[in-house]
Amino acid sequence: FAGLADVSISEDIPVEGEITVPVGSRSPDEDFSTLDEPVRDTIMRDLKAVGKKFVHVMYPKKSSALLRDWDLWGPLVLCVSLALMLQGGSADSKDDGGPQFAEVFVIIWFGAVVITLNSKLLGGTISFFQSLCVLGYCVLPLTVAMLVCRLVLLAGSGTVSFVIRLIVVVAMFGWSTLASTAFLADSQPPNRKALVVYPIFLFYFVISWMILTFTPQ
Amino acid sequence: MATVDDLKFQEFDDAANLLAANPDATTISIDEPVEIPKNQHSHLQEPGREEDDELLGTDDSDKTELLAGQKKSAPFWTFEYYQTFFDVDTYQVLDRIKGSVFPVPGKNFVRLYIRSNPDLYGPFWICATLVFTIAVSGNLSNFFIHLGKPTYHYVPEFRKVSIAATAIYAYAWLIPLALWGFLMWRNSKVMNIVSYSFLEIVCVYGYSLFIYIPTAILWIIPQKVVRWVLVMFSLCLSGSVLVMTFWPAVRDDNRRIALATVGTIVLLHALLAVGCLAYFFDAPELDFPAPIIPAHNGT
């Protein structure tokens, strides 16, 4: 740096200041180490994030919170509760009854992975886990439908209850598909949107079919 | 010994000036390939090429083969390699589906629609849709058939989904593998003009299964005659697409082998349809009412 040797500060201008780096409003103690805060705070933060995403799914506006901070807790809880509620069919496994717990689990997760791979292979710009997150969270309306179906089946299992269940399941299926399409469609190339939306439709259709055909023993 | 002046780079005068100085010098011009001689050639070659052009498209095939070679250049362990198999737009997929349902006589499905851009989207999702359509329709059809009987308890029969999936995916992927291997083997013995890559065969088979989706939905109707008419109809349509695709690939071979190959393709296709109908859809028992109470119940 030969040129810099010529630079000099004249002696009558005092050089003064502070060397410390200016710190923001956070004191160094709240360094986002969750070991120092009460356990309740840690858990509530995650639960609030999950709950906020549930609300976003039920009222799908164009917010990007679902995509930005993805988490897989919500999908796991939904999947497990849906699979549990789909049990209680025939107790003896010799009967060709409804899907087992493992089958529901595998269908939901494997189906979500396949759809994510499909959208990425077609040129989508969404990341793998973001897409899994969206697809998992949009199972929420169908879980609500399953809950309603079980309650209706407690009352009776005739034609009227079937019609009610049919309407509820169809409505929730439409809601799920529209919600996930609203979140995922923007990240796809424009002339392939239908190619990406169709597998999502098939996925939720299969889950709805499993819910609708649930018959308690 | 060369002087320094001789070794200096000599600027060449303009070609025109040089020619003016020496008009008899030979000249070479390196230009773009001139279009005019082509026209002189073309009407000499045309009568011979027409009949091959339809099915072979040799002009096209050179260019498209080059393109195919350029496309799949990513190594197979990268994600981009697999992205080349999903390089289709919505309208292309719809066109291919249409081409598999309405066979145009004389036109080859592969040359017409696929054109060295085989995709895996169509085969995979058509098979998935077919699996669930057959399982759901079979379940619905059984429900409607046994509806009135008091001893009937509805079960969703979820096991059958995995059986359907195994059968249909095996058909759509193993049969093309066997057929491709067979065609490669015959190609080494008899020089065939037309040969297909493995993915193109998978593509044809996948799209040819599309006709079974509406057929499976219509199989809910519990009439034996209706069901068998549907089987025949869909078999004719998609079978003819398969035959017209694979006949040019084997017709140069020994007559018997060619006929046996095409016959096997159609037979396996029919077997899939009939097998699905027999396994997933109960026979409509509308002819005889099933006796529910045993006759000898003590009187």
Side-chain angles (χ1 to χ4, degrees):
Chain A
F1 303 113
L4 287 181
D6 297 337
V7 173
S8 65
I9 303 174
S10 92
E11 289 184 13
D12 36 334
I13 302 177
V15 176
E16 58 184 24
E18 285 205 15
I19 304 183
T20 57
V21 176
V23 179
S25 55
R26 275 195 314 208
S27 66
D29 288 341
E30 291 178 15
D31 209 14
F32 217 64
S33 150
T34 54
L35 285 177
D36 292 336
E37 58 180 10
V39 173
R40 187 173 173 273
D41 281 356
T42 314
I43 295 181
M44 284 312 292
R45 186 188 308 126
D46 279 341
L47 277 181
K48 276 198 204 134
V50 170
K52 205 159 69 149
K53 290 205 191 62
F54 279 158
V55 170
H56 274 300
V57 169
M58 293 313 273
Y59 301 106
K61 299 185 304 248
K62 282 289 181 180
S63 101
S64 57
L66 206 66
L67 293 180
R68 228 181 14 230
D69 317 311
W70 59 267
D71 73 274
L72 292 178
W73 281 114
L76 181 67
V77 163
L78 288 172
C79 178
V80 167
S81 53
L82 184 62
L84 279 177
M85 284 197 279
L86 276 171
Q87 301 310 301
S90 52
D92 48 353
S93 57
K94 142 167 87 80
D95 230 2
D96 223 0
Q100 302 290 326
F101 181 91
E103 284 172 342
V104 177
F105 212 81
V106 161
I107 282 187
I108 292 183
W109 285 102
F110 188 64
V113 166
V114 165
I115 293 177
T116 306
L117 279 179
N118 177 64
S119 79
K120 286 190 77 68
L121 282 169
L122 281 170
T125 53
I126 201 172
S127 99
F128 182 77
F129 285 108
Q130 279 174 350
S131 169
L132 275 188
C133 169
V134 168
L135 287 169
Y137 269 102
C138 289
V139 173
L140 175 66
L142 286 170
T143 310
V144 168
M146 183 74 224
L147 198 60
V148 169
C149 282
R150 283 214 84 148
L151 291 174
V152 167
L153 277 171
L154 281 179
S157 58
T159 313
V160 174
S161 93
F162 176 73
V163 169
I164 298 177
R165 281 185 291 143
L166 181 67
I167 295 176
V168 167
V169 168
V170 167
M172 292 299 156
F173 160 66
W175 201 334
S176 279
T177 310
L178 285 175
S180 62
T181 309
F183 285 115
L184 289 179
D186 287 336
S187 63
Q188 304 306 323
N191 47 349
R192 295 180 184 181
K193 278 208 167 66
L195 296 184
V196 172
V197 167
Y198 171 70
I200 299 178
F201 168 87
L202 186 66
F203 176 62
Y204 288 125
F205 177 78
V206 170
I207 298 181
S208 316
W209 175 256
M210 286 197 294
I211 293 175
L212 188 59
T213 60
F214 173 75
T215 47
Q217 200 57 318
Chain B
M1 268 241 303
T3 62
V4 177
D5 280 342
D6 285 339
L7 292 176
K8 255 189 357 186
F9 182 73
Q10 300 187 348
E11 296 290 343
F12 286 107
D13 290 343
D14 208 20
N17 294 343
L18 284 175
L19 255 185
N22 192 3
D24 289 327
T26 50
T27 56
I28 303 172
S29 66
I30 306 173
D31 282 335
E32 294 287 312
V34 185
E35 292 297 324
I36 304 171
K38 238 189 184 180
N39 289 341
Q40 292 168 354
H41 288 144
S42 63
H43 52 253
L44 284 176
Q45 289 178 2
E46 247 179 44
R49 280 163 58 120
E50 261 174 24
E51 61 209 36
D52 286 338
D53 249 353
E54 291 261 302
L55 286 177
L56 307 180
T58 41
D59 252 357
D60 254 339
S61 71
D62 282 347
K63 193 169 63 172
T64 46
E65 269 174 36
L66 273 177
L67 281 178
Q70 282 171 9
K71 249 185 10 178
K72 299 172 179 29
S73 54
F76 69 91
W77 56 83
T78 57
F79 192 69
E80 283 72 30
Y81 177 75
Y82 297 102
Q83 259 182 325
T84 58
F85 301 135
F86 283 77
D87 195 15
V88 279
D89 293 336
T90 308
Y91 75 92
Q92 281 176 315
V93 172
L94 291 175
D95 269 346
R96 290 176 187 191
I97 291 179
K98 201 171 45 137
S100 77
V101 175
F102 302 119
V104 179
K107 291 288 169 100
N108 191 340
F109 179 75
V110 175
R111 286 283 171 256
L112 199 55
Y113 289 105
I114 300 195
R115 289 182 190 225
S116 292
N117 187 19
D119 70 301
L120 288 180
Y121 178 90
F124 182 77
W125 286 110
I126 290 179
C127 288
T129 312
L130 186 61
V131 164
F132 288 114
T133 310
I134 286 190
V136 167
S137 306
N139 201 232
L140 269 180
S141 144
N142 292 349
F143 173 71
F144 286 131
I145 285 178
H146 300 293
L147 188 49
K149 303 180 186 141
T151 57
Y152 175 67
H153 178 74
Y154 170 75
V155 283
E157 289 176 326
F158 203 73
R159 295 289 166 282
K160 295 201 169 174
V161 172
S162 38
I163 298 174
T166 314
I168 289 174
Y169 273 99
Y171 175 81
W173 291 82
L174 293 183
I175 307 264
L177 185 65
L179 188 60
W180 174 75
F182 176 75
L183 286 178
M184 285 293 119
W185 175 60
R186 294 310 298 177
N187 225 2
S188 67
K189 299 203 159 183
V190 177
M191 197 56 222
N192 278 324
I193 305 179
V194 180
S195 69
Y196 299 121
S197 72
F198 171 62
L199 283 171
E200 286 172 346
I201 301 183
V202 167
C203 227
V204 172
Y205 264 86
Y207 280 103
S208 74
L209 284 178
F210 177 79
I211 187 72
Y212 288 132
I213 296 177
T215 309
I217 297 178
L218 288 175
W219 274 343
I220 298 180
I221 302 174
Q223 297 284 342
K224 237 184 185 151
V225 174
V226 170
R227 288 180 178 179
W228 281 99
V229 163
L230 282 170
V231 168
M232 289 295 126
F233 184 64
S234 57
L235 190 60
C236 284
L237 278 184
S238 59
S240 63
V241 169
L242 286 177
V243 166
M244 280 193 293
T245 305
F246 289 109
W247 180 247
V250 292
R251 75 175 161 197
D252 298 318
D253 207 347
N254 184 359
R255 198 76 185 168
R256 274 190 184 169
I257 294 189
L259 285 176
T261 310
V262 171
T264 313
I265 292 176
V266 173
L267 185 68
L268 286 172
H269 208 60
L271 212 60
L272 179 77
V274 171
C276 284
L277 179 61
Y279 185 71
F280 292 101
F281 294 81
D282 285 347
E285 299 158 289
L286 295 177
D287 303 331
F288 48 93
I292 299 160
I293 310 168
H296 55 280
N297 202 4
T299 33

